[in-house]
Amino acid sequence: MCWQDELLGSGGCGGCISEELLSHLRGLDQYQLERFKLGLQSPQVLAQNSPKIPWANVKAADPRDLLCLMKQHFPERQVWEGTLRIFEDMNLTPLCEGLRAQMNEMPQGPQDPSQEEPDIPEEPSGAFHRGTYRERMKAKFLAMWNAIPWPKDHIYLRNVTEQEHKELRCLLYPKRMGAQPQTIVLHGVAGVGKTTLAMKVMMHWAEGLLFQQTFLYVFYTSCHQVQNMEDTTLAGLLSRDWPDSQAPIEHFMSHPERLLFVIDGFEDMTVSSDEDDSQPCTDWYQQLPAARILIHLLKKKIVPEATLLITTRDCPSEDLKKLLLNPWFILIPGFTEEDQEEYFFRYFRDRNEAKKILRWIRKNEALSHSCSAPLVCWTVSSCLKWQMARRPSFQLSIQTTTSLYAYFFSSLFESAEVGWSKQSWSEQWKALCSLAADGMWSSNFTFAKEDMEHRHLQPPLIDCLFRLNILRKVSDCEDCMTFTHQSFQVFLGAMFYVLRGKEGAISGLSKHQELRVLLNDAFVDTNSYWHQMALFSFGLLNRDLARQVEDTLHCKMSPRVMDEFLRWAEALSTSDVVSCSLELLPFFQCVYETQEETFVKQILSHLLEADLEIGDLQLQVTSFCLKHCQRLSKLRLSVRCLIPQMESTCDWETPGTRLVNSKIHQWQDVCSVFHNGNVRELDLSNSKLNATSMKKLCYELRNPRCKLQKLTCKSITPVRVLKELVLVLHGNNWLTHLNLSSNNLGVALSMMLFRTLRHSACNLKYLWLESCGLTSVACHGLFLELSKNSSLCFLSLGDNDLSDIKVKNFQKSFDVSKCALRELSLERCNLSAASSEEISVILTSTQRTVRLCLGFNQLQDDGVRWLCASLSQSDCVLERLVLCFCQLGAPSCRHLSDALLQNRSLTHLTLKKNHLGDEGVRLLCEALSCPDCRLQSLNLSQCSFTVGGCQELAGALQHNRHMKVLDIGRNCVQDDGVKRLCEVLKWSSCTLNTLGLEKCNLTSACCQHLSSVLGSSKSLENLNLLGNDLGPEGVNMLWKSLQKSTCKLQKLG
């Protein structure tokens, strides 16, 4: 059994002591931090034989990462001592004095988790009390352990061994070295052994095997029991296990640091919303509700020196995280795959049979996760064993999780000695399933005798459930019972919704209404039990399985429940809120569980988009569902499973060949989704594919029935499989969009793909080749092919190093008349001012290019001068130019202004993130003020201008009749600048319909002017005011203007 540790609340590298050290490191300036890092590499500074931290790790570390590195390589004390030596070497005297003072106050605790602290001498009376308590705890927990009703043929893998002692010791000492956390949380799904571990900690301490020197006393508290207790004191809570309730409280109080509180089952606690407002409790004798005392323990408001060991189901809740101080979370995963194999081997006494079962389980993601619980392994084993013995034609491959559980319950109750009529059985099953469902809704997994009586459950059935290990008694609650494993309750709760009847499990809703809420929550909630309940609900829709359950359990299934599921799916398809947050893979798992192909086609007919990650566990489910998605139009697949290279042709079939062949057939089913002719978009980004699987996919994509238009293949591994796309580009004239970004194509592969552009069947219109490692040589070849292509109108070459591109070199062989390129993006291509002369040639040589993006290149003012020379020519047809973050200044605005006065085509200009200043804006406005300037959209966000620049823009707008969009966000234009703009916006001749003022240091003072504009402007439809502190008064003024009938605004941000 492996445990996964995770520290929350302290950045992953320690508790409050680490935070003190971190504050010292954060107090260093950049130069001092660099000296400190160099000191860590010095053998003279660190202790002898200390391990050296790799410089590559140290160099890039910030103070928190640096502290984490130190703690990974050195014991806690040595971290402090090493830090002190380096500070002394740096002559940081005040810091050294503070460090020494803190080190003197540090506890001299154990540095090695395998070594316990030396014992503290006890008075004879203390030793007597301790011995008495240990004997009582030993007897109590042995009785609790023996009372657990394990099934007779259940295999118990864990024995009391030295290895187990080591594992238990690691629970309380999770860190390899240094100070140990004082709050440890064990979390995991139901049945993986959290309570068992907590009980063993208690038992081994009581037996004198573990933690004798560390903890004088260990106290065990059940949260479920505390919830039902009357008001008490902490002293009273600890005295329950003492004769006559006379616990030596004063003895406890004298050594609080040597107390361990084991708090089991936090999920049973109810934390009130006003918990933060409650008065802190520090008095051991203060009378409070028992649950409130436990909360104060968790918050370290009382006995803060004590150690806490907490167990909780699933991921720790937000309620728990808010309560705890520097907790260390340990995931208890339960049975590993090796444990599962060992369990099945011992149960079936056949290693090959065990491996066969394990291979089958690994294909079923839901069941594979459930088998981390030992009792689920027993359920699976016993069910399979019964079926193998009774059914000669039994096939493991067609089993589902639901069919296993259904057969499990059916087999158990075949021999149930309860002489009831079918009607009585039906009523009792309905009552039992209603109880289980009610518990699921209220997160209640423990039921009192009154709950059973309220549901009219008869004693003969309850006794039978105990005998069959479906129910068991709760050890710490008299007359309380729980399901032996939570999956039993989940299955019966799901069964409630497919049984006949209209009344729901909880008051106020009908069964059909509850079912819809359940299904909605199951696929948007991370709660694994809701998903499992939905899984069983779908699985019970299988007609053969439903008949079997009816016949063996004498219950009546609803004949129209399948229609309810279909109506839910139809309603879901029209609900944007639910459908957008729907987890599709869990939904597919549920649909697969039905194994009813007609129903599957119907329920998946509403699915138009799918986003899936396919690993080995998901391939079977995904392939089954995708082949039935007849209306799917948009599909994203991230393939992570290994598809075999070729199908086995052996004369005899082995488990290995069956697995190979099944995977190949499943991949074929996935690819078959393109035959329906509806899929228009496919995204394979971040997929790992071999040549065979990629070739199979490409053959399907060139199928005449495939009408795919958009294909995205970003970050494909290995990149060489992309050569198979040639099949698609030659054979599918529907394909118009191809994105190959984030693949290092290399020269050979890129040229192979580029040559397909000349093919007459290639109809690509949009091509993305961003971050593809392309060189100027490859781009030369690409442009030559474009001269033979009459379809490609958009090309993005962003994030490729084209610093040495020579457009003039291939201009002669570039047939302008055939090139259809209209939009070209060269963003972040390492272009410089010198490159601009080459790029400017494109503006006049290609008569169709209307959009050019050169953002994030260091063009500077000289580069813009070359571009503007081409823009000024009469044969330039460019309409949109993007120059964001190009290190431009005011001189660039002079060149642009001159070009705008001569150019009649440019309508959109983006200059954001350039240091233009007020002077640059003034120069631009010389052109904007001219009535002949055709510019319609101008983006000047984050261009470092102020009120003065804003006033220049306002003046230009007075004379401009073409400007529609103006973005001046993230400039310090302030209220005065907006006031001047508003004066112009109110003019009837102003045509501006979109204004961006995000983060412009505006206050409520400008809202009166804006409100006036909103009420009078005939053109303004979009206004962005995000990131400004307008205050309630300003917002209220705007709100009043929005309500006026004269307001034309459609969007306010």
Side-chain angles (χ1 to χ4, degrees):
M1 181 181 293
C2 59
W3 298 324
Q4 299 173 20
D5 297 355
E6 179 185 12
L7 181 68
L8 299 184
S10 56
C13 60
C16 59
I17 293 176
S18 297
E19 290 298 330
E20 292 170 355
L21 258 184
L22 182 60
S23 67
H24 292 313
L25 293 180
R26 281 176 169 165
L28 303 178
D29 60 31
Q30 195 61 40
Y31 173 74
Q32 291 171 331
L33 186 61
E34 291 302 317
R35 282 198 61 189
F36 185 89
K37 291 178 179 180
L38 291 171
L40 279 176
Q41 303 294 297
S42 171
Q44 289 78 26
V45 172
L46 297 176
Q48 192 174 8
N49 299 323
S50 293
K52 190 174 182 180
I53 309 175
W55 174 245
N57 297 350
V58 173
K59 183 179 179 181
D62 62 14
R64 179 174 285 280
D65 293 335
L66 193 61
L67 183 57
C68 288
L69 285 170
M70 293 167 67
K71 290 178 71 63
Q72 288 170 12
H73 287 77
F74 313 128
E76 179 82 26
R77 187 79 187 181
Q78 194 174 330
V79 171
W80 284 81
E81 291 171 350
T83 302
L84 179 60
R85 289 194 192 97
I86 298 173
F87 282 178
E88 288 173 341
D89 191 56
M90 294 170 63
N91 296 318
L92 300 176
T93 306
L95 282 180
C96 292
E97 292 175 354
L99 272 179
R100 290 191 191 96
Q102 289 169 332
M103 290 171 67
N104 291 334
E105 296 175 3
M106 286 176 59
Q108 301 297 317
Q111 298 301 304
D112 185 350
S114 63
Q115 299 177 2
E116 298 196 13
E117 298 180 16
D119 203 358
I120 297 175
E122 281 190 272
E123 297 179 3
S125 61
F128 170 77
H129 288 308
R130 189 183 184 202
T132 302
Y133 177 70
R134 279 172 48 185
E135 288 300 318
R136 289 181 67 86
M137 290 300 96
K138 189 191 308 183
K140 175 181 177 178
F141 278 88
L142 281 174
M144 288 172 61
W145 185 260
N146 292 330
I148 298 175
W150 297 106
K152 291 181 180 179
D153 53 348
H154 176 50
I155 307 297
Y156 187 65
L157 296 185
R158 298 294 172 192
N159 296 312
V160 181
T161 62
E162 183 57 36
Q163 176 63 24
E164 187 173 66
H165 288 174
K166 183 178 179 181
E167 290 176 347
L168 290 172
R169 191 179 291 114
C170 287
L171 291 179
L172 275 302
Y173 301 124
K175 295 169 63 181
R176 295 180 181 176
M177 53 187 66
Q180 299 299 323
Q182 288 187 295
T183 301
I184 300 124
V185 181
L186 311 183
H187 66 99
V189 298
V192 294
K194 303 178 296 296
T195 294
T196 299
L197 288 169
M199 290 175 65
K200 285 186 176 183
V201 167
M202 194 77 199
M203 286 173 63
H204 291 343
W205 174 82
E207 290 175 341
L209 300 174
L210 287 175
F211 314 122
Q212 297 306 294
Q213 282 74 46
T214 310
F215 302 115
L216 285 175
Y217 292 94
V218 180
F219 305 104
Y220 177 90
T221 303
S222 161
C223 292
H224 176 265
Q225 191 175 27
V226 165
Q227 282 290 100
N228 300 302
M229 288 177 60
E230 297 179 353
D231 288 7
T232 183
T233 65
L234 176 60
L237 200 61
L238 302 183
S239 299
R240 291 174 303 138
D241 292 313
W242 289 80
D244 303 321
S245 299
Q246 297 298 313
I249 301 300
E250 300 302 323
H251 188 54
F252 299 162
M253 295 173 68
S254 63
H255 297 291
E257 76 285 354
R258 301 189 68 195
L259 301 180
L260 169 64
F261 291 92
V262 179
I263 300 170
D264 189 24
F266 178 81
E267 67 275 5
D268 290 328
M269 289 285 292
T270 301
V271 181
S272 62
S273 57
D274 61 346
E275 196 58 56
D276 291 337
D277 301 327
S278 62
Q279 291 296 319
C281 167
T282 57
D283 186 352
W284 288 51
Y285 294 96
Q286 183 179 348
Q287 191 91 358
L288 287 170
R292 180 64 61 85
I293 294 173
L294 211 55
I295 294 295
H296 288 308
L297 264 177
L298 294 172
K299 294 174 73 174
K300 295 281 187 178
K301 298 298 184 183
I302 189 169
V303 204
E305 304 89 348
T307 299
L308 305 178
L309 179 66
I310 306 157
T311 73
T312 187
R313 188 180 292 127
D314 293 330
C315 296
S317 67
E318 289 303 316
D319 286 338
L320 181 58
K321 291 178 181 178
K322 289 177 183 176
L323 294 174
L324 304 180
L325 180 66
N326 296 328
W328 189 288
F329 289 98
I330 300 178
L331 173 64
I332 307 298
F335 272 5
T336 62
E337 288 187 355
E338 291 76 18
D339 291 329
Q340 293 172 27
E341 182 176 344
E342 182 65 20
Y343 189 97
F344 295 132
F345 167 63
R346 291 201 197 177
Y347 196 97
F348 291 96
R349 301 183 182 279
D350 184 329
R351 183 68 69 182
N352 289 331
E353 194 69 43
K355 289 184 176 180
K356 176 183 174 183
I357 292 170
L358 200 57
R359 280 195 299 270
W360 168 71
I361 287 174
R362 287 174 185 170
K363 291 181 183 179
N364 187 325
E365 186 173 15
L367 189 58
S368 180
H369 290 162
S370 297
C371 280
S372 60
L375 268 174
V376 175
C377 286
W378 169 75
T379 304
V380 171
S381 299
S382 58
C383 181
L384 293 179
K385 192 172 185 179
W386 292 337
Q387 293 193 76
M388 290 173 184
R390 299 181 188 187
R391 297 163 59 188
S393 60
F394 171 75
Q395 294 182 45
L396 182 61
S397 60
I398 63 173
Q399 298 295 306
T400 64
T401 307
T402 310
S403 66
L404 274 178
Y405 273 77
Y407 192 85
F408 174 78
F409 278 91
S410 299
S411 299
L412 284 177
F413 279 91
E414 274 182 351
S415 57
E417 298 175 359
V418 181
W420 283 338
S421 65
K422 287 187 177 181
Q423 181 63 30
S424 297
W425 267 113
S426 178
E427 291 173 356
Q428 286 294 287
W429 272 114
K430 184 177 178 181
L432 178 63
C433 293
S434 176
L435 176 77
D438 189 8
M440 293 301 298
W441 283 108
S442 58
S443 298
N444 178 31
F445 307 105
T446 303
F447 303 95
K449 185 178 180 181
E450 294 77 18
D451 297 322
M452 302 291 186
E453 292 173 349
H454 176 69
R455 299 283 174 176
H456 304 294
L457 283 165
Q458 299 298 315
L461 177 61
I462 297 172
D463 293 341
C464 182
L465 293 170
F466 279 121
R467 286 198 307 274
L468 298 175
N469 289 306
I470 303 299
L471 286 180
R472 66 175 177 85
K473 293 184 178 180
V474 179
S475 58
D476 56 11
C477 182
E478 189 176 356
D479 291 332
C480 288
M481 57 203 78
T482 185
F483 287 91
T484 305
H485 187 262
Q486 192 169 321
S487 62
F488 297 165
Q489 180 178 344
V490 175
F491 177 80
L492 293 172
M495 193 169 154
F496 173 76
Y497 292 101
V498 297
L499 293 175
R500 287 191 180 185
K502 296 181 179 180
E503 187 178 345
I506 52 179
S507 59
L509 293 177
S510 69
K511 183 182 289 189
H512 297 325
Q513 289 172 322
E514 285 182 10
L515 177 62
R516 290 198 175 197
V517 176
L518 161 66
L519 294 177
N520 286 341
D521 289 352
F523 302 121
V524 298
D525 200 331
T526 56
N527 187 323
S528 61
Y529 304 115
W530 281 115
H531 172 238
Q532 193 176 25
M533 197 168 171
L535 184 89
F536 286 139
S537 299
F538 271 86
L540 288 166
L541 297 179
N542 182 279
R543 290 184 174 88
D544 293 336
L545 191 59
R547 278 193 295 270
Q548 174 193 325
V549 171
E550 281 188 321
D551 294 341
T552 55
L553 300 182
H554 310 300
C555 56
K556 297 179 180 179
M557 312 294 270
S558 172
R560 300 190 181 280
V561 66
M562 202 175 277
D563 294 335
E564 282 299 321
F565 280 77
L566 292 174
R567 280 193 286 270
W568 164 78
E570 185 177 5
L572 184 72
S573 66
T574 61
S575 171
D576 293 336
V577 176
V578 178
S579 58
C580 288
S581 54
L582 178 83
E583 289 287 341
L584 196 57
L585 190 58
F587 175 60
F588 273 14
Q589 289 169 345
C590 291
V591 171
Y592 172 81
E593 198 76 6
T594 67
Q595 293 294 301
E596 290 280 353
E597 294 210 5
T598 302
F599 169 77
V600 171
K601 286 179 181 178
Q602 288 177 305
I603 200 166
L604 292 178
S605 66
H606 304 290
L607 190 66
L608 303 179
E609 297 185 15
D611 188 340
L612 298 160
E613 292 189 13
I614 307 180
D616 289 320
L617 283 174
Q618 297 85 29
L619 180 59
Q620 179 175 266
V621 167
T622 304
S623 63
F624 176 82
C625 292
L626 279 180
K627 69 180 180 182
H628 291 111
C629 293
Q630 299 301 310
R631 297 181 59 206
L632 194 68
S633 64
K634 189 174 181 180
L635 175 62
R636 192 192 80 82
L637 284 179
S638 179
V639 183
R640 296 292 181 181
C641 58
L642 181 64
I643 310 297
Q645 292 278 13
M646 61 182 66
E647 193 167 356
S648 175
T649 56
C650 296
D651 294 334
W652 64 92
E653 194 175 47
T654 66
T657 59
R658 278 197 298 272
L659 181 62
V660 167
N661 293 341
S662 68
K663 279 193 171 185
I664 291 176
H665 293 153
Q666 286 161 5
W667 180 246
Q668 289 172 343
D669 285 340
V670 170
C671 296
S672 70
V673 72
F674 302 105
H675 289 178
N676 62 39
N678 289 320
V679 180
R680 295 293 189 266
E681 297 182 35
L682 172 63
D683 187 346
L684 288 171
S685 298
N686 303 305
S687 289
K688 294 181 179 180
L689 297 163
N690 56 37
T692 304
S693 56
M694 188 67 176
K695 185 175 291 186
K696 173 62 181 172
L697 174 64
C698 290
Y699 270 117
E700 298 298 337
L701 294 180
R702 66 177 290 170
N703 188 296
R705 287 181 290 178
C706 176
K707 296 181 180 179
L708 190 74
Q709 296 175 356
K710 297 181 180 181
L711 176 60
T712 300
C713 295
K714 297 168 69 174
S715 300
I716 301 296
T717 307
V719 70
R720 63 177 178 272
V721 302
L722 292 175
K723 68 181 182 181
E724 307 299 339
L725 289 175
V726 172
L727 294 170
V728 185
L729 296 174
H730 282 180
N732 186 332
N733 56 13
W734 287 91
L735 189 68
T736 56
H737 295 64
L738 178 61
N739 191 337
L740 299 178
S741 299
S742 303
N743 292 294
N744 196 345
L745 297 178
V747 175
L749 179 56
S750 59
M751 295 307 295
M752 179 188 299
L753 292 170
F754 296 163
R755 278 194 291 270
T756 61
L757 295 174
R758 71 172 75 169
H759 199 282
S760 59
C762 178
N763 195 35
L764 273 188
K765 292 179 168 40
Y766 298 84
L767 178 61
W768 288 264
L769 296 169
E770 298 167 3
S771 306
C772 285
L774 300 180
T775 62
S776 298
V777 173
C779 288
H780 186 178
L782 172 60
F783 276 94
L784 289 179
E785 298 300 337
L786 286 179
S787 68
K788 303 164 188 174
N789 179 286
S790 59
S791 63
L792 197 73
C793 59
F794 172 90
L795 176 63
S796 178
L797 296 172
D799 200 26
N800 292 291
D801 188 358
L802 306 182
S803 55
D804 58 344
I805 191 169
K806 302 294 182 184
V807 177
K808 293 177 182 177
N809 288 354
F810 58 84
Q811 190 178 8
K812 292 179 181 179
S813 55
F814 189 71
D815 191 343
V816 175
S817 63
K818 287 188 177 180
C819 179
L821 197 65
R822 291 178 57 82
E823 300 183 51
L824 176 62
S825 175
L826 299 175
E827 186 174 282
R828 202 172 179 272
C829 285
N830 201 21
L831 302 177
S832 62
S835 310
S836 298
E837 183 180 1
E838 296 288 335
I839 299 301
S840 64
V841 175
I842 297 175
L843 299 182
T844 52
S845 62
T846 56
Q847 297 300 308
R848 294 185 179 88
T849 304
V850 296
R851 182 182 184 275
L852 178 63
C853 177
L854 297 172
F856 294 86
N857 290 294
Q858 297 181 26
L859 302 182
Q860 302 179 332
D861 298 324
D862 286 343
V864 170
R865 178 169 57 84
W866 283 108
L867 290 174
C868 289
S870 294
L871 279 174
S872 301
Q873 295 184 26
S874 58
D875 54 354
C876 176
V877 296
L878 196 71
E879 297 175 3
R880 297 169 182 258
L881 178 61
V882 178
L883 296 172
C884 56
F885 206 69
C886 288
Q887 297 187 4
L888 310 184
S892 293
C893 295
R894 164 56 65 195
H895 305 311
L896 286 166
S897 185
D898 292 342
L900 286 171
L901 289 173
Q902 301 178 58
N903 185 286
R904 292 295 175 266
S905 63
L906 195 68
T907 57
H908 293 69
L909 178 61
T910 298
L911 296 172
K912 68 179 181 180
K913 294 187 178 181
N914 288 294
H915 193 73
L916 306 182
D918 290 336
E919 176 62 15
V921 174
R922 184 188 67 78
L923 292 170
L924 273 178
C925 287
E926 290 181 5
L928 295 179
S929 300
C930 179
D932 293 335
C933 179
R934 302 294 174 136
L935 206 63
Q936 297 176 17
S937 175
L938 178 61
N939 190 332
L940 295 175
S941 61
Q942 212 167 334
C943 284
S944 306
F945 63 89
T946 65
V947 178
C950 199
Q951 290 176 339
E952 294 288 345
L953 285 168
L957 289 176
Q958 291 180 5
H959 308 285
N960 190 296
R961 298 295 177 266
H962 300 287
M963 187 68 68
K964 305 292 184 185
V965 179
L966 177 63
D967 190 346
I968 57 173
R970 297 176 184 267
N971 291 292
C972 191
V973 301
Q974 301 180 326
D975 298 326
D976 287 342
V978 171
K979 177 184 176 181
R980 182 71 181 95
L981 270 178
C982 288
E983 292 173 0
V984 179
L985 290 174
K986 286 188 287 187
W987 290 13
S988 59
S989 58
C990 181
T991 58
L992 201 69
N993 63 33
T994 300
L995 178 60
L997 294 171
E998 181 178 351
K999 293 187 177 181
C1000 285
N1001 291 337
L1002 308 183
T1003 69
S1004 60
C1006 71
C1007 292
Q1008 183 64 52
H1009 306 292
L1010 286 170
S1011 298
S1012 178
V1013 170
L1014 294 179
S1016 59
S1017 173
K1018 298 293 189 291
S1019 61
L1020 194 64
E1021 297 177 350
N1022 305 288
L1023 177 61
N1024 186 357
L1025 294 172
L1026 293 174
N1028 292 292
D1029 187 10
L1030 304 179
E1033 181 184 353
V1035 172
N1036 189 46
M1037 279 190 280
L1038 294 175
W1039 174 247
K1040 288 180 179 178
S1041 296
L1042 291 173
Q1043 293 178 308
K1044 294 179 179 179
S1045 59
T1046 55
C1047 180
K1048 304 295 183 183
L1049 202 70
Q1050 297 178 9
K1051 185 176 180 180
L1052 176 62

